[in-house]
Amino acid sequence: MGRAYRFVTRWELPAPRERCWVELVRFVGDGTVQSWWPGVSVPVPPSRPVPGERLVLAVRSPFGYRLRARLTLTEVDPGRVLAAESTGDLRGAGRVELESLAPDRTAVVFHWDVSTEKAWMNATAAVLRPAFVWAHHVVMARGERALRARLHRG
């Protein structure tokens, strides 16, 4: 049985919601696959961002281990919500919500409710859970910095 993790990460970005959405959809895969997020890639993108489409998300942790999640998009509300069910190394659900804070400021909130499926992670979670949580925060912080830089460059 997997170990459960619940993460909520909030990025406040200096760009309009529509611009943030464009970059997130490009990252997930809209045919132009541009991986701006260090350590995170989409080696198998969806053909288009609509419910029912599938993709593979690959993550390399700061400790060097890798996770692969097979995602099925469950909700796509352009400019506002992107949600998916996950199988593979991470089983559960993820959701990204975008909210306009001002004309040129957006909150992007990531929700991950997943269980790990890698046997070694589950066997060592009693000791290593804090490290796994820290690694998640590092990967998310790197993504925020990279997206900020991308938005700044235009």
Side-chain angles (χ1 to χ4, degrees):
M1 183 171 154
R3 299 294 178 140
Y5 294 83
R6 175 171 280 170
F7 298 108
V8 177
T9 305
R10 181 183 175 94
W11 298 349
E12 289 193 15
L13 300 168
R17 182 173 42 91
E18 294 76 15
R19 175 77 169 105
C20 294
W21 175 261
V22 165
E23 292 304 331
L24 289 170
V25 169
R26 279 188 184 149
F27 174 75
V28 169
D30 68 351
T32 65
V33 183
Q34 300 174 0
S35 183
W36 44 258
W37 194 328
V40 181
S41 65
V42 181
V44 180
S47 60
R48 59 193 196 281
V50 297
E53 286 292 314
R54 295 180 181 191
L55 62 138
V56 173
L57 183 70
V59 180
R60 184 177 36 86
S61 89
F63 295 118
Y65 63 84
R66 296 178 187 270
L67 299 170
R68 286 178 68 89
R70 290 180 301 280
L71 304 178
T72 302
L73 297 176
T74 57
E75 182 181 356
V76 178
D77 181 359
R80 298 184 189 284
V81 175
L82 188 63
E85 293 292 324
S86 177
T87 61
D89 295 335
L90 300 171
R91 182 173 300 281
R95 182 177 185 86
V96 182
E97 299 172 340
L98 289 80
E99 175 189 352
S100 291
L101 301 175
D104 62 348
R105 192 148 189 85
T106 302
V108 179
V109 183
F110 295 82
H111 300 266
W112 277 107
D113 292 303
V114 295
S115 295
T116 53
E117 296 296 317
K118 284 190 173 253
W120 74 268
M121 290 182 82
N122 295 334
T124 61
V127 174
L128 294 181
R129 182 182 183 91
F132 298 150
V133 170
W134 177 83
H136 172 81
H137 292 303
V138 169
V139 168
M140 295 303 290
R142 288 177 179 168
E144 180 180 13
R145 280 191 304 274
L147 182 51
R148 279 181 180 279
R150 188 172 182 85
L151 293 168
H152 179 73
R153 285 191 306 271

